[in-house]
Amino acid sequence: MTPGTKPGEPVAEPADRALRFAENVVYAAAGALLILGAVAVIVMVCYHLLLDTDDGARTAVAEALDGLLLAFILLELLAGIRATMTEKKLVAEPFLIVGIIASIKEIVLVTLASQHARGDEGDAFTDAMTEVSVLGGVVLLLSLASFLVRRKEREPEEEKKA
């Protein structure tokens, strides 16, 4: 009998099992799509890294780094799905890590783009550095949130040991 169902509820238990199965099927489908997406991104990164070196190594490596960080984001989302399926509850930490990786990805891209804007007239370089500063703040806040989530998750274990 599952938690929350009472004896004598003949529909609740089978319905709960069917819905749990359907939920896991959807999670598994989403996970499969994330895996396919990550593999596709890595294949495209390899392909373009080989072909785009004619435009310059710096450009090719920057594009490869962008793609690899996207693959890491997809894989961390997959970890979030796995954790949710395993623990039967939404786990926040993988999604915080996705936010950190996405922010770092944008910092790298803005920094690379700002190298061209440094000599330009106007506020393009200043805007880019403001964006990097804000994204750095986002990384710090998400890191703090991740630390606090880990600390909160460890509290019940520490209480049991005491």
Side-chain angles (χ1 to χ4, degrees):
M1 180 171 287
T2 59
T5 59
K6 299 175 187 174
E9 291 186 24
V11 176
E13 192 171 328
D16 184 54
R17 278 195 307 257
L19 290 173
R20 188 176 317 204
F21 177 77
E23 179 183 15
N24 286 334
V25 167
V26 171
Y27 278 134
L33 289 174
L34 287 170
I35 291 169
L36 289 174
V39 169
V41 167
I42 290 173
V43 168
M44 290 305 294
V45 164
C46 292
Y47 177 77
H48 284 290
L49 188 59
L50 293 173
L51 294 181
D52 292 346
T53 53
D54 295 339
D55 297 336
R58 175 178 270 170
T59 304
V61 169
E63 291 296 322
L65 182 59
D66 181 39
L68 290 174
L69 288 171
L70 178 59
F72 287 144
I73 289 169
L74 294 172
L75 291 174
E76 200 57 44
L77 287 171
L78 178 64
I81 287 175
R82 286 181 44 235
T84 300
M85 288 179 73
T86 303
E87 297 187 23
K88 304 293 184 220
K89 65 178 183 177
L90 187 61
V91 180
E93 189 174 8
F95 300 103
L96 293 171
I97 292 172
V98 165
I100 292 169
I101 295 170
S103 298
I104 291 171
K105 177 181 179 286
E106 286 303 310
I107 288 172
V108 170
L109 294 177
V110 170
T111 303
L112 291 173
S114 71
Q115 290 178 347
H116 302 293
R118 196 179 319 178
D120 292 345
E121 294 288 327
D123 296 330
F125 183 74
T126 304
D127 291 345
M129 291 302 103
T130 301
E131 188 174 352
V132 166
S133 299
V134 170
L135 288 167
V138 168
V139 169
L140 288 174
L141 288 173
L142 289 172
S143 299
L144 177 64
S146 181
F147 171 76
L148 292 174
V149 165
R150 280 186 183 186
R151 187 172 170 194
K152 178 73 174 159
E153 288 175 354
R154 276 190 233 132
E155 283 180 4
E157 293 175 14
E158 292 172 0
E159 290 174 4
K160 289 178 186 175
K161 291 178 184 178

